[in-house]
Amino acid sequence: MLTRLIPSSQEPLPVVGLGTWQTFDVRGAAGHPLLRQTLETLRTAGGSVIDSSPMYGRVEEVVGELTSALPAQPEFFYATKVWTQGREAGIRQMEDSLRKMRRPTLDLLQIHNLVYWKTHLATLRDWQAAGRVRYLGITHYTDAMHPELERVLRLEKLDFVQFNYSILDRHAEQRLLPAAAELGVATLINRPFTEGSLLARLRGKELPPWATELGIGSWPQFLLKFILSHSAVTCVIPGTSNPAHLQDNLWAAEGPLPDEATREKMAAYVRSL
């Protein structure tokens, strides 16, 4: 799988990961075999990033339980968030995340939607110095918050920023992606399918004949290759609990990526449908 370097460390990171919002929030063990297969599919293909959050219900606990039973447990890149008000509440939440995900160290802790970011960032820096977390980041999911994400990036040294970006939602190209590249900040891309509305729009439509030149065999691959072709994108995290859908997503990280002219051709084609 294609990898890109995390600028602050030069560690390679596979460019397609796994989002878990809604998809991994399950109760009882009935759904675990399918979720376990999804995680195995991620690692078999060379992927590693699992993105979660305390606001996602039982996701952290489910991820921790399932990965702890897999031989590949140490090979995943565990990303979660802090999402609460106040310093002590933030510490309790982060301690809970370590316990639920069954990790002595988290790969990435992000301040979810910038909630109490100044307070939590001070704690995160202490945790990073103590080796309890490897990377620090901030997140949001709306275009309206891109200026604030950029402002914080310019104020504070951070390793990651996570935000929304898709073939028809390109606001991040104006300032946020260039700012991340300028400042040496890795990017995680959420909502690559605009919460499924893009895939619904394209359902039943034919891929353009020229898509095969890029090794594209499905609409998810088409949409993800567009995102990955932006040089400032480090990793995209589409959410799924279906191993076949995940495998389809992961194939976007193989083969050639479109150049700038082809990117615009791809966007124009989707707009026309």
Side-chain angles (χ1 to χ4, degrees):
M1 180 185 292
L2 176 68
T3 62
R4 289 202 171 132
L5 299 180
I6 300 170
S8 64
S9 67
Q10 298 301 293
E11 176 186 353
L13 197 68
V15 298
V16 178
L18 176 64
T20 58
W21 181 59
Q22 296 185 325
T23 56
F24 271 64
D25 183 17
V26 300
R27 293 193 176 276
H32 283 193
L34 188 67
L35 297 181
R36 186 179 297 110
Q37 187 180 349
T38 300
L39 292 168
E40 290 171 340
T41 298
L42 180 68
R43 279 309 299 142
T44 299
S48 64
V49 177
I50 308 170
D51 182 73
S52 62
S53 172
M55 74 169 290
Y56 296 173
R58 295 191 67 252
V59 166
E60 290 179 321
E61 192 172 347
V62 171
V63 167
E65 181 178 344
L66 292 176
T67 56
S68 67
L70 295 177
Q73 182 192 27
E75 300 169 13
F76 290 106
F77 185 97
Y78 297 85
T80 192
K81 307 175 183 79
V82 56
W83 181 69
T84 189
Q85 298 183 356
R87 179 178 180 276
E88 294 306 317
I91 291 172
R92 287 194 299 271
Q93 191 174 77
M94 291 188 291
E95 294 281 7
D96 282 345
S97 293
L98 281 168
R99 176 180 56 81
K100 290 176 180 177
M101 299 185 82
R102 307 187 187 190
R103 302 301 302 154
T105 301
L106 289 168
D107 293 294
L108 171 61
L109 252 173
Q110 305 158 96
I111 301 169
H112 197 111
N113 294 350
L114 293 171
V115 173
Y116 267 62
W117 71 265
K118 291 181 181 179
T119 299
H120 297 320
L121 185 56
T123 302
L124 286 173
R125 293 209 188 284
D126 290 341
W127 276 42
Q128 189 178 44
R132 304 193 74 188
V133 59
R134 298 174 61 218
Y135 298 108
L136 313 181
I138 53 175
T139 81
H140 218 284
Y141 65 98
T142 67
D143 290 355
M145 291 303 293
H146 289 181
E148 183 64 7
L149 288 173
E150 182 188 352
R151 186 182 76 85
V152 176
L153 291 184
R154 294 192 180 279
L155 285 173
E156 303 283 351
K157 177 61 179 173
L158 292 164
D159 303 300
F160 278 83
V161 57
Q162 180 182 148
F163 51 88
N164 57 301
Y165 177 48
S166 75
I167 198 168
L168 295 186
D169 182 13
R170 301 176 63 180
H171 184 268
E173 292 178 1
Q174 297 176 23
R175 292 190 58 90
L176 190 50
L177 280 162
E182 172 195 342
L183 298 168
V185 180
T187 61
L188 290 183
I189 304 303
N190 59 42
R191 303 183 73 179
F193 304 142
T194 321
E195 293 188 343
S197 65
L198 264 174
L199 294 177
R201 172 183 181 144
L202 298 169
R203 189 174 295 120
K205 305 289 186 13
E206 294 291 332
L207 284 165
W210 42 266
T212 57
E213 298 171 12
L214 295 168
I216 294 172
S218 71
W219 280 117
Q221 294 171 37
F222 189 97
L223 301 174
L224 293 174
K225 272 193 181 282
F226 173 87
I227 293 170
L228 294 174
S229 65
H230 196 294
S231 61
V233 168
T234 307
C235 177
V236 59
I237 47 171
T240 185
S241 59
N242 184 312
H245 291 172
L246 177 59
Q247 183 60 72
D248 192 35
N249 294 340
L250 293 164
W251 277 323
E254 299 182 9
L257 292 174
D259 58 21
E260 188 59 35
T262 306
R263 294 181 87 246
E264 296 304 324
K265 185 178 179 181
M266 294 168 79
Y269 187 82
V270 171
R271 285 195 304 269
S272 72
L273 297 176

